[in-house]
Amino acid sequence: MVTLLQLNRHLDDDHKNLEDVEQDEVKTWFRTQMVKAKRFQPLAVLNQKLKGLDVFESNDLALPPTANSRVPSSPEPTLPDPDEAVTRAHWQRSGPNDACAEPMCGKNLGVVNGCVNCRKCGRLFCEDHTMYQMKLSRSAQHEPVRGFWCRVCETCYKSREGYNDHTGLSRDHIGEFRNLRKKTVDKAYLEVIRLEKRLTKLTQLLANPPEDQGLGNGSLFWSISGQKSQRKMIEQSVVTWEDDANVSNCRFCQQEFSSYSFRRHHCRLCGRIVCGDPQTSCSKEIGLNVAISSDRENGYLSEKTSRNVTVDVRMCRDCQSTVFSRRDFAQELAKKPPDVRAYETLVEFERGIRLTLPKFQRLLVALQNPDKPPTPTQLTEASKVRKRLLDSFSQYDVAARRIRDLPTSSTSQQRLQKAIYQQASNFLHLHMLPLKTLPKILKHASPHGANGHRSTPNRSNGSLAAIKYNQHESSSQVSSNSAISAMESEEKELRDRLIVLEEQKFFVSEMIASANKRRKFDEVSSLSQNVGDLSVEIDQINGTLSQLDFASAYQQGTISPPAR
């Protein structure tokens, strides 16, 4: 590779004695190129030009060299300058404070950054954002065939038609494919129809044979061999059988037939000779239920009755696949795997629970109203809805456990089953809390509170209102003994529930520690959420226990507080 210093020395040593005329021509050419480059191209493009690289496309026509140099060549066609040919009526006029029209640039236009008009949109840009070319017509529109190469901005270059087209040319070959495949499809369809007609005719003849050749009316007078020969005649009347002497091997498994140990069998639909080996399943006897109708005389009237008759028909492998392949394919599509069926059952249970929960919530709100004691009808309905929800929750839990315990060899399937079970557990913990509120309401609710007089406005005298407002009324309304016993029973239920929640929280914390050791971070996140829910519920129970005012209840009553 020649360096710039070596090139300068070469020019100084070997080309210093050039004639003045040649030096003037070189200087004139270089000056012309510099003026043209400064007028049209930015500095980066000029540097690429000087290095010998063509950045922009040229509008000059490349004429092929003539074969004979003596023949006078025709004058070269002169093309108009694209800057003069393409209209400038839409160009933006430059001013002293213009900025680049590129939204992400915003440079001040001038000598340093350049000031170039996009030949298509006419807006002013700096030199860095007008490094694109596209063919434009004389009216500054995109003309990819007969246009001139012009300098444009990035937006106009990328918004032209055909840019960034990933689809490309598409041709629809479906019609041609259908025409090519039509012969094969029609042939297969005709084969199916032909075999179905043969099968229908054969089953009808076997189920309801002619009277002169019947197997049912004269079965006592026919011998066993006669019955077999009669059935063989009926079967051969549908399709012609192959001769046993012409076939020595099975057409499918190529096993050699023998006279007694390995017998020949004929397909009743195509007549070919095949074997009956159960291991290769070259032919099988298919049991078919055929509906036949018969006329029964009832006095002067005749009634038509239908009954089903089972008929065994031997078919080869090809005929069986041709006749029953479409039915087997439809049955296979309709068949669902066990995990899908179990998940659909789980979804149905969840849907039923979500539909029943709003009704139960409305009943709870009606029962907790202290101004209007609940009626026996409301209490009975709430108990029925609660029992229905408990049964649904138990079935939902059983369905979730069934999904979790399904046997599988795939690790991804196992993770999916565990995730479904975890989501079902979260659903149970979230929606089973309102069910625990109803026994307490049923215990404290008294339908006789509406009959007494009211000592305080907007307050009923029932036991539910007495517990809510911590008030003590006369013995005719609510006794202090019943209020204290109700508060004690409520405290006992809350403490028992608190013990259960604390145990659950301890077990879940142990599971989180084990999952961290095994680096099961997905399980850790779901278990941590359960710990948070348990902690919130424990705090709520502790707050309820702290609000129980036993001191005021004992002071208003005549009973001394027991030793606690």
Side-chain angles (χ1 to χ4, degrees):
M1 180 177 180
V2 181
T3 61
L4 183 60
L5 180 60
Q6 293 174 352
L7 180 60
N8 291 334
R9 289 179 179 175
H10 171 72
L11 293 176
D12 293 339
D13 295 342
D14 297 341
H15 302 283
K16 62 182 180 179
N17 296 325
L18 290 176
E19 298 181 0
D20 296 338
V21 178
E22 294 179 355
Q23 291 182 2
D24 293 339
E25 290 179 356
V26 173
K27 291 179 180 180
T28 304
W29 176 85
F30 186 75
R31 190 180 300 110
T32 305
Q33 295 298 324
M34 288 292 294
V35 171
K36 183 178 179 181
K38 286 182 179 180
R39 185 185 64 178
F40 183 73
Q41 298 169 348
L43 184 60
V45 180
L46 177 62
N47 294 334
Q48 296 293 336
K49 282 284 189 179
L50 294 177
K51 291 178 183 178
L53 300 176
D54 292 333
V55 178
F56 290 112
E57 296 289 343
S58 176
N59 288 303
D60 298 334
L61 294 176
L63 298 176
T66 56
N68 190 359
S69 59
R70 295 182 180 181
V71 179
S73 60
S74 59
E76 296 181 358
T78 58
L79 294 177
D81 190 359
D83 290 341
E84 301 295 337
V86 180
T87 181
R88 298 188 182 184
H90 61 291
W91 280 21
Q92 177 186 350
R93 294 185 180 181
S94 59
N97 298 322
D98 291 331
C100 181
E102 180 67 26
M104 302 298 294
C105 179
K107 295 180 181 179
N108 293 327
L109 303 180
V111 181
V112 179
N113 298 322
C115 182
V116 183
N117 287 93
C118 174
R119 271 52 175 178
K120 188 177 187 302
C121 64
R123 295 185 297 172
L124 290 172
F125 293 89
C126 62
E127 293 179 351
D128 295 337
H129 291 99
T130 52
M131 295 289 294
Y132 299 90
Q133 261 190 326
M134 60 186 296
K135 284 191 173 185
L136 300 178
S137 63
R138 295 181 181 270
S139 59
Q141 299 298 324
H142 183 217
E143 181 59 45
V145 179
R146 299 180 181 180
F148 301 96
W149 287 108
C150 297
R151 190 174 181 179
V152 295
C153 62
E154 182 179 1
T155 305
C156 295
Y157 178 78
K158 292 184 178 180
S159 62
R160 74 182 190 275
E161 184 181 358
Y163 177 77
N164 202 17
D165 187 6
H166 299 287
T167 305
L169 180 63
S170 60
R171 296 179 180 176
D172 189 7
H173 296 284
I174 295 179
E176 183 179 357
F177 172 73
R178 287 177 178 174
N179 293 331
L180 292 176
R181 196 169 180 267
K182 185 177 180 180
K183 297 180 180 179
T184 305
V185 173
D186 293 345
K187 182 179 179 181
Y189 183 69
L190 291 175
E191 181 68 16
V192 171
I193 293 177
R194 183 168 62 89
L195 294 180
E196 286 180 350
K197 287 183 177 180
R198 289 180 181 177
L199 181 61
T200 303
K201 181 179 179 181
L202 178 62
T203 52
Q204 291 295 331
L205 288 175
L206 292 178
N208 193 10
E211 294 182 359
D212 54 345
Q213 299 177 358
L215 299 177
N217 297 330
S219 58
L220 297 176
F221 303 98
W222 287 84
S223 62
I224 298 177
S225 59
Q227 293 182 12
K228 289 185 177 180
S229 61
Q230 181 69 19
R231 181 185 177 94
K232 183 177 180 181
M233 291 174 56
I234 294 176
E235 292 172 346
Q236 288 182 347
S237 64
V238 177
V239 62
T240 304
W241 288 8
E242 284 186 340
D243 191 4
D244 296 349
N246 297 333
V247 181
S248 59
N249 296 327
C250 177
R251 294 182 177 273
F252 298 105
C253 62
Q254 301 300 323
Q255 298 185 63
E256 187 177 359
F257 294 114
S258 61
S259 301
Y260 300 102
S261 60
F262 199 68
R263 296 179 53 206
R264 297 174 175 84
H265 296 277
H266 289 83
C267 176
R268 270 52 173 180
L269 298 184
C270 62
R272 293 183 298 179
I273 295 177
V274 290
C275 69
D277 191 355
Q279 296 181 355
T280 58
S281 299
C282 296
S283 67
K284 290 190 300 183
E285 286 190 349
I286 308 298
L288 302 175
N289 292 326
V290 184
I292 60 175
S293 61
S294 59
D295 295 337
R296 184 181 63 183
E297 294 185 358
N298 187 6
Y300 297 99
L301 300 177
S302 61
E303 299 178 357
K304 288 188 176 181
T305 60
S306 60
R307 56 190 179 91
N308 293 331
V309 177
T310 303
V311 177
D312 295 333
V313 179
R314 181 173 292 277
M315 301 182 193
C316 65
R317 186 192 306 172
D318 290 346
C319 294
Q320 182 181 352
S321 175
T322 303
V323 174
F324 300 110
S325 60
R326 186 173 299 179
R327 185 203 63 179
D328 296 340
F329 181 71
Q331 291 180 354
E332 194 169 337
L333 286 180
K335 185 179 179 181
K336 296 180 181 179
D339 52 351
V340 175
R341 294 198 303 270
Y343 182 73
E344 289 180 353
T345 304
L346 184 71
V347 170
E348 287 297 326
F349 284 137
E350 182 176 348
R351 181 174 175 271
I353 292 172
R354 290 186 182 276
L355 291 176
T356 313
L357 274 176
K359 181 179 179 181
F360 184 71
Q361 294 289 347
R362 290 193 297 270
L363 291 174
L364 282 184
V365 172
L367 293 177
Q368 291 175 348
N369 187 7
D371 299 331
K372 186 178 180 181
T375 61
T377 306
Q378 291 178 344
L379 296 177
T380 305
E381 185 179 1
S383 300
K384 290 181 179 179
V385 175
R386 179 177 181 272
K387 185 178 182 304
R388 192 184 311 148
L389 278 175
L390 286 175
D391 295 340
S392 300
F393 277 121
S394 62
Q395 294 174 355
Y396 184 81
D397 186 38
V398 171
R401 294 178 185 274
R402 186 184 298 115
I403 292 177
R404 182 195 62 182
D405 299 336
L406 283 175
T408 179
S409 58
S410 174
T411 56
S412 59
Q413 179 72 13
Q414 190 175 6
R415 289 197 303 269
L416 178 61
Q417 294 175 188
K418 289 183 178 179
I420 293 174
Y421 176 73
Q422 187 63 39
Q423 183 65 25
S425 301
N426 295 338
F427 179 79
L428 289 175
H429 288 305
L430 181 62
H431 293 88
M432 285 188 69
L433 291 178
L435 298 180
K436 301 177 182 179
T437 312
L438 186 60
K440 180 176 66 176
I441 296 176
L442 294 177
K443 184 180 294 184
H444 298 329
S446 176
H448 303 289
N451 299 327
H453 63 276
R454 297 175 181 266
S455 61
T456 305
N458 298 329
R459 291 190 181 185
S460 64
N461 297 323
S463 60
L464 190 65
I467 293 173
K468 180 173 182 180
Y469 295 107
N470 289 325
Q471 63 182 5
H472 182 70
E473 305 263 337
S474 62
S475 60
S476 61
Q477 298 172 358
V478 178
S479 65
S480 61
N481 294 337
S482 61
I484 293 173
S485 61
M487 294 176 67
E488 289 178 350
S489 61
E490 183 177 359
E491 182 190 16
K492 184 177 181 303
E493 290 180 1
L494 290 175
R495 293 192 181 279
D496 293 341
R497 183 179 172 189
L498 185 63
I499 292 173
V500 174
L501 292 176
E502 291 286 354
E503 292 178 354
Q504 291 181 358
K505 184 178 179 181
F506 174 75
F507 289 145
V508 175
S509 301
E510 292 292 332
M511 294 171 64
I512 290 175
S514 176
N516 282 324
K517 291 180 181 180
R518 292 183 285 109
R519 303 181 67 83
K520 300 290 185 178
F521 299 111
D522 52 348
E523 297 181 6
V524 171
S525 60
S526 58
L527 293 174
S528 300
Q529 184 179 0
N530 291 339
V531 169
D533 297 339
L534 291 174
S535 301
V536 171
E537 192 171 356
I538 290 171
D539 295 339
Q540 291 178 356
I541 294 176
N542 289 328
T544 306
L545 288 173
S546 63
Q547 292 177 0
L548 293 177
D549 193 2
F550 283 94
S552 61
Y554 286 123
Q555 288 176 3
Q556 293 177 7
T558 59
I559 302 176
S560 60
R564 302 185 53 146

